[in-house]
Amino acid sequence: MIETRDGYAPQKPETLGAYLSGIDAVRRILGGTPGQWSIAEVGDGNLNLVFIVKGPSGGVAVKQALPYVRLVGESWPLPLSRAHYEHMALTWQARLTGALTPAIRHYDETLALIVMELLEPHIIMRRGMIAGVEYPKFSADISRFMARTLYFTSDLALTADRKKALIAAFADNTALCKITEDLIFTDPYRVAELNRWTSPQLDPYAARWRGDGDLKVAVSRLKLKFLSSAEALLHGDLHTGSIMLTPEDTRVIDPEFAFIGPMGFDVGAVVANFLVNFFAQDGHEAQPGARDSYRGWVLSTLERIIALFREAFLQLWRDNPTGDAYPVSLFQGPDGEARLAVERQAYMDRLWTDTVGFAAAEIIRRILGLAHNIDLEWIEDKDRRATCEARALTLARDMMVNAERYPTIQSVTDAARRIRQDMARY
């Protein structure tokens, strides 16, 4: 049933100006009068309305939740409360990472509406990568974002009471978690009405996935971890479509899927979307080999992201051992410190193993599930697209079923290069 709420109404360009004119802080940013403002609805995502509002002095972005999935329509209701969780997550992320998130200008709980800083000339990262744009600061920025948001909301940094309060604060974001649970961990491995893929080229792959017992066991283990491992506050949808940037500035947006879950899920989403873009480059180059240099940048940047993330996370742990996990009092003296140093490395190795599996699940769902990436969708030649997708699926299956074969990010990127070279066609 579609949610109703007293005072709620989806905004339109015709109504939004009058609403914003009543907010002093926003009116000062825009300048002039509502008659001088331009308002355009620009949302191209799956769930929400997004408006760009510009006035004589400046601009804002406005995001409003709809009571259903925009991609599907009213047949798929969604609670408006997801705006509450997004606002709360943005607040946490801003506190921990500063300018790596957009500034919030106003929040309206009743309208499920957030007014944010207008990011210009930033673009969605996925679009920039399709165009072959390099972002030299991104590896440092995203590794810092992940390290700080994950470490400081974990039991390594928080006392047990504060961690449990954080879990409680996000516990009711169940509808968004349910989307993840179904679309990533379940639907691609069964007959599901909303699944889609490049057909008929990938029909055999979809059929094999539905009959692959080893793959189903592996993804079910990942789903269990997603359901039960309350490790840290996750963005929950940390892909290249949730990042706006320029070569000099990075902002992470859209954390409405935020909840307390396994750290590897966020890190895996970043890994997966870089791998998908790597394989997709063959579909965007004008002639074979034309994007070899950019393919190299994609994988070398991914390697650097993971190296910097691990380094930053470990440094935060050494500098801020304030949580109730691994209490400092247990590891006094040279031997204790040495044992804890070894355990920290083992912790990061376990986190990496989780990352490999979650990255594989993200790749598979972007090709055989409902919500796809434009990295692949924008390849007009279906045979070329299917070849790119088949390579990505081949790597993803092995990563999920044989995660132990991928002990480092270099083992993943080496496999990606090898599969691209060896698989001439889907």
Side-chain angles (χ1 to χ4, degrees), residues 120-313:
E120 287 187 325
H122 301 62
I123 65 169
I124 295 293
M125 186 176 193
R126 185 170 285 156
R127 293 171 179 262
M129 292 181 72
I130 291 170
V133 179
E134 296 185 11
Y135 296 100
K137 286 193 62 184
F138 179 73
S139 56
D141 287 343
I142 196 64
S143 59
R144 180 175 185 270
F145 178 90
M146 293 191 298
R148 292 187 64 82
T149 57
L150 296 177
Y151 179 80
F152 282 115
T153 60
S154 77
D155 293 286
L156 304 174
L158 295 177
T159 57
D161 57 333
R162 292 186 64 201
K163 175 64 181 305
K164 288 177 172 61
L166 185 62
I167 292 171
F170 284 90
D172 283 342
N173 199 14
T174 55
L176 275 293
C177 287
K178 176 65 171 172
I179 290 176
T180 299
E181 291 152 16
D182 288 346
L183 266 60
I184 295 183
F185 299 111
T186 306
D187 285 355
Y189 309 90
R190 66 181 179 184
V191 175
E193 180 182 356
L194 296 176
N195 284 348
R196 60 191 182 89
W197 55 82
T198 304
S199 183
Q201 288 87 343
L202 293 189
D203 289 356
Y205 282 82
R208 285 203 302 273
W209 258 241
R210 294 193 299 269
D212 191 329
D214 290 340
L215 196 59
K216 290 178 178 181
V217 168
V219 78
S220 294
R221 289 173 179 166
L222 290 167
K223 185 175 184 178
L224 177 60
K225 183 172 284 287
F226 183 87
L227 291 166
S228 60
S229 295
E231 293 179 347
L233 174 60
L234 304 188
H235 178 283
D237 202 25
L238 191 58
H239 53 70
T240 50
S242 294
I243 295 160
M244 294 190 69
L245 77 176
T246 69
E248 294 78 33
D249 187 60
T250 304
R251 305 297 183 95
V252 180
I253 64 172
D254 292 349
E256 62 194 322
F257 282 80
F259 81 112
I260 313 302
M263 298 183 193
F265 185 78
D266 266 9
V267 186
V270 173
V271 172
N273 280 267
F274 265 69
L275 292 173
V276 167
N277 181 269
F278 167 78
F279 286 114
Q281 292 298 326
D282 282 283
H284 297 293
E285 59 189 3
Q287 57 190 23
R291 294 206 176 191
D292 282 349
S293 175
Y294 192 72
R295 271 186 284 269
W297 179 84
V298 171
L299 293 189
S300 64
T301 298
L302 178 55
E303 291 167 356
R304 181 166 170 76
I305 289 168
I306 298 305
L308 290 175
F309 166 72
R310 183 174 181 128
E311 177 184 319
F313 193 99

Side-chain angles (χ1 to χ4, degrees), residues 27-143:
R27 192 171 60 248
R28 287 194 297 269
I29 291 170
L30 296 172
T33 64
Q36 297 173 286
W37 301 346
S38 66
I39 303 176
E41 206 284 306
V42 298
D44 60 358
N46 297 327
L47 301 182
N48 307 291
L49 296 172
V50 179
F51 301 89
I52 299 298
V53 185
K54 293 184 178 181
S57 301
V60 295
V62 179
K63 181 175 180 180
Q64 185 182 30
L66 290 167
Y68 52 84
V69 176
R70 180 174 182 170
L71 176 66
V72 177
E74 295 187 8
S75 63
W76 189 341
L78 268 188
L80 297 172
S81 60
R82 66 185 188 274
H84 165 78
Y85 297 108
E86 177 167 8
H87 175 254
M88 190 160 50
L90 283 168
T91 302
W92 268 91
Q93 291 164 358
R95 187 182 309 139
L96 294 172
T97 70
L100 289 175
T101 62
I104 299 172
R105 306 304 191 194
H106 179 74
Y107 172 59
D108 188 317
E109 182 95 15
T110 299
L111 286 178
L113 180 149
I114 306 173
V115 183
M116 289 172 279
E117 170 188 11
L118 179 61
L119 299 175
E120 287 187 325
H122 301 62
I123 65 169
I124 295 293
M125 186 176 193
R126 185 170 285 156
R127 293 171 179 262
M129 292 181 72
I130 291 170
V133 179
E134 296 185 11
Y135 296 100
K137 286 193 62 184
F138 179 73
S139 56
D141 287 343
I142 196 64
S143 59

